[in-house]
Amino acid sequence: MRFRHPDGSTVHLSYCTNVHPAETLGGVRAQLRDHCEPVRRRLGRDRLGIGLWLARDAARALINDPAELRALRAELDSRGLEVVTLNGFPYEGFGADEVKYRVYRPDWTEPDRLAHTTDLARLLAALLPDDVTEGTISTLPLAWRTPYATDPGAARTARTALTTLAQRLDALAELTGKSIRIGLEPEPGCTVETTADAIAPLTDVGHERIGICVDTCHLATSFEDPDTALDALAAADIPVVKSQLSAALHAEHPHLPEVRTALAAFAEPRFLHQTRTSTAAGLRGTDDLDEAVAGGALPDSTPWRSHFHVPLHAPPAPPLTSTLPVLRTALARLVGGPVPLTRHLEVETYTWQALPAELRPRTRTQLADGIAAELTLARGLLVDLGLKELP
């Protein structure tokens, strides 16, 4: 969906297709038919933005066959769908029964990450609507913290890869007239866990096409204040390439047995749910929710937040809630001012099928209804901030 900002620029709202498992080009096309177009119809829109996730095999198939790429672009048009942003974080296997730490490989010290991201940039330049000249891609925040932290050459290798990517993006812009930008997406447990962690490596790269993707679930999980975080990025001249609108799981009183029981229902085997608490001594955390729930690993006298993307429109029942207020605050800063800090917004709730059984959609219809409800909420927030929805 497109919105007119009061400054006259266009802000794009999409939803991320990594919620739909697909490793192949055929699977991507099935997503468009079975999920994306039905969501568009539920919203009553002629056009819907999707944040496309292309796994390695699907991306390579498109790179190797220009006819397939043209066919995909034509299918997007025929189904009333448009792509201005890609999710380049997961490389492959995001629909596997167990993802966990695998999602962080390859990282930015490995050649495959640079090659895949270069492919995605080329594909996005070809998939952008004719009247759009800027595209964005979110990516891994360098690496998982280990073994990166103990490798003295890791930071240099990653910086070289990002610098090479920036040069390729410059060349792509000259060739196609399309400007593609990449955003490191801070995530708990990674080398770049917070927006503050992103400033030094992005300053080292020092290129306008390499910036940050602000995921509001990750921001909240790390107990970052949105205003403070965005002020620091602005002061460092780090561009906010895109923002993923998402909400984390929040437990106000984790010492209570009923709260632990409620949290345990969200501990599941597929995705990693890093859990954090903010104490007087600083941020404390575990790599997964089950470690926290088991007891002893985290102080429980202060609230806990877990990296579990809960549906925006449907926070969990008490005694839990979501960090939707953090999203609201961040969004107000991102697009509520005289000039938008970013023009690409993406609803990214990929954990629908990881929810506790009673909350999980059981049919495609229920999933489409849920995604449409999230987008409706996001649309309302944007309108409240003074943006006007475009046809």
Side-chain angles (χ1 to χ4, degrees):
M1 292 185 283
R2 298 186 184 192
F3 295 81
R4 181 72 67 206
H5 189 274
D7 78 340
S9 63
T10 300
V11 172
H12 294 264
L13 173 66
S14 61
Y15 92 88
C16 186
T17 65
N18 64 356
V19 62
H20 312 302
E23 299 290 318
T24 65
L25 185 53
V28 170
R29 286 179 169 156
Q31 290 176 349
L32 305 183
R33 178 192 68 229
D34 297 338
H35 300 287
C36 302
E37 188 174 5
V39 170
R40 178 183 65 76
R41 293 186 183 279
R42 277 164 174 74
L43 291 167
R45 306 302 300 160
D46 293 333
R47 174 173 52 190
L48 176 68
I50 57 172
L52 201 59
W53 173 58
L54 295 171
R56 179 198 61 177
D57 288 350
R60 289 309 302 170
L62 291 168
I63 286 289
N64 291 331
D65 191 340
E68 289 283 13
L69 180 55
R70 289 193 296 270
L72 178 61
R73 170 66 186 274
E75 184 164 1
L76 287 166
D77 290 342
S78 69
R79 296 191 183 279
L81 305 170
E82 65 177 15
V83 176
V84 302
T85 190
L86 300 180
N87 188 326
F89 195 131
Y91 180 73
E92 62 184 351
F94 202 61
D97 291 339
E98 182 177 334
V99 179
K100 298 290 184 182
Y101 295 94
R102 291 170 51 192
V103 76
Y104 305 108
R105 301 293 302 276
D107 62 33
W108 276 102
T109 68
E110 300 173 87
D112 284 348
R113 177 60 66 173
L114 173 60
H116 179 58
T117 309
T118 301
D119 284 349
L120 294 181
R122 291 172 58 193
L123 294 173
L124 181 55
L127 292 174
L128 285 176
D130 291 339
D131 62 343
V132 175
T133 59
E134 295 185 0
T136 58
I137 303 172
S138 48
T139 190
L140 180 77
L142 299 186
W144 185 251
R145 66 181 185 277
T146 55
Y148 188 99
T150 57
D151 180 354
R156 182 175 61 254
T157 301
R159 182 174 63 250
T160 299
L162 288 171
T163 300
T164 299
L165 176 64
Q167 293 167 349
R168 293 177 180 178
L169 296 177
D170 284 343
L172 183 64
E174 289 186 15
L175 180 66
T176 66
K178 306 289 187 177
S179 175
I180 308 300
R181 296 193 297 164
I182 309 296
L184 301 185
E185 181 185 333
E187 177 166 310
C190 291
T191 300
V192 174
E193 172 158 339
T194 66
T195 56
D197 294 334
I199 291 175
L202 288 175
T203 300
D204 285 346
V205 174
H207 197 286
E208 63 181 0
R209 299 193 197 279
I210 311 292
I212 193 168
C213 168
V214 174
D215 184 301
T216 57
C217 170
H218 304 172
L219 190 79
T221 300
S222 295
F223 286 86
E224 288 196 82
D225 173 69
D227 289 321
T228 301
L230 293 171
D231 283 347
L233 292 173
D237 202 26
I238 303 296
V240 180
V241 167
K242 64 184 279 191
S243 179
Q244 289 171 329
L245 307 182
S246 53
L249 190 63
H250 180 95
E252 186 69 20
H253 303 292
H255 65 285
L256 297 176
E258 60 268 30
V259 174
R260 294 292 182 95
T261 299
L263 283 170
F266 285 83
E268 51 84 36
R270 186 173 175 186
F271 298 113
L272 207 60
H273 301 296
Q274 304 92 314
T275 304
R276 299 288 185 267
T277 187
S278 182
T279 72
L283 203 64
R284 296 278 302 277
T286 60
D287 281 357
D288 216 342
L289 180 57
D290 55 359
E291 302 172 51
V293 170
L298 280 184
D300 60 9
S301 58
T302 49
W304 289 0
R305 290 176 178 173
S306 187
H307 174 217
F308 195 118
H309 291 222
V310 297
L312 302 186
H313 69 293
L320 304 179
T321 187
S322 81
T323 61
L324 185 61
V326 176
L327 184 159
R328 290 176 181 270
T329 301
L331 190 61
R333 277 298 306 276
L334 288 167
V335 300
V339 176
L341 302 184
T342 184
R343 294 182 175 87
H344 289 183
L345 306 171
E346 178 183 55
V347 172
E348 196 215 13
T349 304
Y350 60 83
T351 42
W352 280 97
Q353 300 302 338
L355 289 166
E358 67 276 12
L359 303 177
R360 201 175 300 159
R362 291 177 171 81
T363 65
R364 288 178 186 169
T365 297
Q366 290 179 349
L367 178 57
D369 287 344
I371 292 170
E374 287 194 290
L375 287 167
T376 297
L377 183 146
R379 175 169 60 186
L381 294 177
L382 292 175
V383 171
D384 289 345
L385 289 169
L387 283 73
K388 180 182 179 181
E389 187 172 6
L390 298 174

